[in-house]
Amino acid sequence: MTSQPPSSPLPPEQPAEAVPTCYRHPDRETWVRCQRCDRPICPDCMRDAAVGFQCPECVAEGNKGIRQAKSTFGGSVVRTPYVTWTILAVNVLVFGAQQLIGGRVISELAMWPAGVAAGEYHRLITAAVVHGGIFHILFNSWALYVVGPYLERAFGHARYLALYVLSALGGSVLGLWFDPVMQPSVGASGAIFGLFGAIFVVSRRLNMDVRGIAVLIGINLLITFVVPNISWTGHIGGLVTGAAVAAALAYAPKGNRTLWQVAALGGALAILLALIFVRTGAILASLA
């Protein structure tokens, strides 16, 4: 008589291993984990690390301890001088509008002391985007193209834009004080002279040879006073303002440098606004 051996009991059924999902996208399966926090991360959340991948939070946390690169005088690093290209584009577009519309553009945007005194304060800035002819805009555009990118990389976008605008304003303010009340003037020359003054200051600050820029400034000043119908006030006002603002930015103490620079820019603006307020009052009194 034969008999079958008793069958062994079946092993208990094992629960299936849970498939990990991305901690930021629970609907996505993934078997990759962050090398720092060990959380599952999907391809969209993977950030390359020295070994493997990290999640966005760990990368951000690690970057907090990394010192961000700065320009020579404290601004963000500039790879493309967008401010300079934008100013050039605006100048060209406005000049194109001058050719299409005619004198209306100049009459609305030119620096005109009587108009400023009447409340048209925009003229103090808009005069820097209007030009009196093809040679006028060509020279200013060439100068901006040559000098602008260097200064923008030295100061960063924001500081460079402040330098340019304050230089243009400084030229207009000196014109407001010393040009005939009814005489309009146009051009970015005040801002350009401000950049000339700034590059002279920056070169001195970096112990570079300044003879070339000094000769350039001297020649342009000579032209200013020899050639008729050139606003000497715009050139001198822009030059002095640009040099002063650049000195404040370039020589600011490294400790709390940004605070010192902001204070200097605010102080320069306050001085110019005070000069505008005093002069417009005097002009209104003389015209009454």
Side-chain angles (χ1 to χ4, degrees), residues 67-134:
R67 186 175 181 180
Q68 300 299 316
K70 295 290 185 181
S71 66
T72 307
F73 301 112
S76 300
V77 173
V78 173
R79 292 177 175 82
T80 304
Y82 294 114
V83 175
T84 297
W85 303 151
T86 301
I87 295 171
L88 279 170
V90 170
N91 288 345
V92 171
L93 289 173
V94 173
F95 187 74
Q98 289 180 238
Q99 308 314 303
L100 294 174
I101 303 175
R104 181 178 175 184
V105 176
I106 293 179
S107 64
E108 293 291 335
L109 303 181
M111 172 56 198
W112 180 35
V116 174
E120 298 174 353
Y121 296 106
H122 65 275
R123 295 178 179 276
L124 295 161
I125 298 297
T126 58
V129 299
V130 185
H131 290 84
I134 185 65

Side-chain angles (χ1 to χ4, degrees), residues 215-234:
V215 170
L216 178 63
I217 292 173
I219 291 174
N220 280 278
L221 286 177
L222 180 63
I223 293 173
T224 298
F225 290 100
V226 171
V227 177
N229 300 321
I230 292 181
S231 173
W232 69 268
T233 54

Side-chain angles (χ1 to χ4, degrees), residues 53-288:
F53 300 96
Q54 293 182 9
C55 66
E57 280 76 7
C58 288
V59 171
E61 185 66 28
N63 287 339
K64 290 181 179 179
I66 299 176
R67 186 175 181 180
Q68 300 299 316
K70 295 290 185 181
S71 66
T72 307
F73 301 112
S76 300
V77 173
V78 173
R79 292 177 175 82
T80 304
Y82 294 114
V83 175
T84 297
W85 303 151
T86 301
I87 295 171
L88 279 170
V90 170
N91 288 345
V92 171
L93 289 173
V94 173
F95 187 74
Q98 289 180 238
Q99 308 314 303
L100 294 174
I101 303 175
R104 181 178 175 184
V105 176
I106 293 179
S107 64
E108 293 291 335
L109 303 181
M111 172 56 198
W112 180 35
V116 174
E120 298 174 353
Y121 296 106
H122 65 275
R123 295 178 179 276
L124 295 161
I125 298 297
T126 58
V129 299
V130 185
H131 290 84
I134 185 65
F135 292 107
H136 193 194
I137 189 173
L138 283 178
F139 173 79
N140 284 340
S141 297
W142 171 81
L144 180 60
Y145 176 80
V146 172
V147 177
Y150 174 81
L151 289 173
E152 189 168 353
R153 292 187 174 98
F155 290 117
H157 297 304
R159 291 166 176 79
Y160 168 73
L161 179 60
L163 169 67
Y164 189 90
V165 172
L166 286 173
S167 297
L169 183 60
S172 293
V173 169
L174 196 63
L176 183 68
W177 274 79
F178 294 105
D179 285 345
V181 173
M182 303 306 294
Q183 175 180 308
S185 59
V186 296
S189 301
I192 297 301
F193 267 76
L195 299 188
F196 287 165
I199 203 169
F200 179 87
V201 170
V202 167
S203 298
R204 286 294 302 269
R205 179 70 176 84
L206 299 177
N207 296 318
M208 299 170 62
D209 189 351
V210 298
R211 287 175 293 182
I213 186 61
V215 170
L216 178 63
I217 292 173
I219 291 174
N220 280 278
L221 286 177
L222 180 63
I223 293 173
T224 298
F225 290 100
V226 171
V227 177
N229 300 321
I230 292 181
S231 173
W232 69 268
T233 54
H235 291 187
I236 299 299
L239 178 66
V240 172
T241 303
V245 170
L249 296 175
Y251 288 91
K254 289 188 176 181
N256 296 320
R257 177 160 56 183
T258 299
L259 180 61
W260 283 100
Q261 291 174 334
V262 170
L265 294 174
L269 179 60
I271 292 172
L272 292 175
L273 291 178
L275 290 172
I276 294 169
F277 176 78
V278 172
R279 181 54 181 164
T280 52
I283 292 175
L284 289 174
S286 66
L287 295 176

